[in-house]
Amino acid sequence: MSERIKTFKEFYQFYLTEHSKMGTRIFHFLGTLLVFFVVGYVIYSGKERFLWYVPIFGYGFAWLSHAIIEKNTPATFKYPIWSLISDFKLFFELLIRKQKFSGIKTEKASE
C-alpha cells in the first residue's frame, strides 16, 4: 500500500485483505459487539463514565488481533475514518452473513 487509496470502495477491498484470518474477524466482531453493549448500557443507565470502555474494546480487540493473528499494521493509523466505517460495515456483513468469519469475500469474488 505505497500510494494513497482514493475511494472508500477501493479501501474496503484493501481492508478485507488486511482482515483475512478467522481470528482477526472474530476479535473485530467481538470488540464491536462490546462497543454496542457499552453504548446501550450507557444509554439505558445514564452512566456516561463507562464510555471510556468504547475505545478499549473497539481498538483493543482489533489491534491485538492485528499484532498476534494477522501480523500487520492496522489501517486505522493511515486511514482512521475509513477504517472505523469499515469495522462497522464488516461487523454488519458478518452479522447478516454477507461476509464469512473463515475467509475473504471481496466484491470481485461475489460478482
Side-chain angles (χ1 to χ4, degrees):
M1 190 174 82
S2 59
E3 66 181 61
R4 201 94 176 127
I5 296 172
K6 293 179 177 67
T7 67
F8 178 74
K9 184 177 180 179
E10 184 183 4
F11 174 79
Y12 192 62
Q13 295 307 305
F14 164 74
Y15 176 92
L16 292 175
T17 63
E18 296 288 299
H19 298 78
S20 64
K21 297 184 179 168
M22 183 188 308
T24 304
R25 288 177 174 222
I26 290 170
F27 268 71
H28 276 67
F29 187 86
L30 290 175
T32 303
L33 184 63
L34 288 169
V35 164
F36 283 121
F37 278 130
V38 168
V39 171
Y41 177 74
V42 167
I43 290 169
Y44 175 76
S45 70
K47 298 177 181 177
E48 297 90 5
R49 67 182 174 272
F50 289 102
L51 284 174
W52 69 274
Y53 283 108
V54 168
I56 291 172
F57 289 143
Y59 289 117
F61 277 67
W63 292 352
L64 184 66
S65 70
H66 283 285
I68 294 173
I69 300 165
E70 205 73 48
K71 296 187 182 4
N72 61 19
T73 303
T76 302
F77 299 129
K78 196 164 185 181
Y79 300 92
I81 303 299
W82 281 355
S83 183
L84 180 63
I85 293 166
S86 296
D87 286 341
F88 287 106
K89 181 175 179 171
L90 179 60
F91 175 83
F92 287 109
E93 287 184 347
L94 289 166
L95 197 62
I96 64 169
R97 298 184 180 177
K98 184 176 179 182
Q99 290 286 336
K100 296 181 179 184
F101 282 98
S102 62
I104 301 175
K105 181 180 178 188
T106 62
E107 231 174 79
K108 291 179 183 175
S110 65
E111 291 178 347

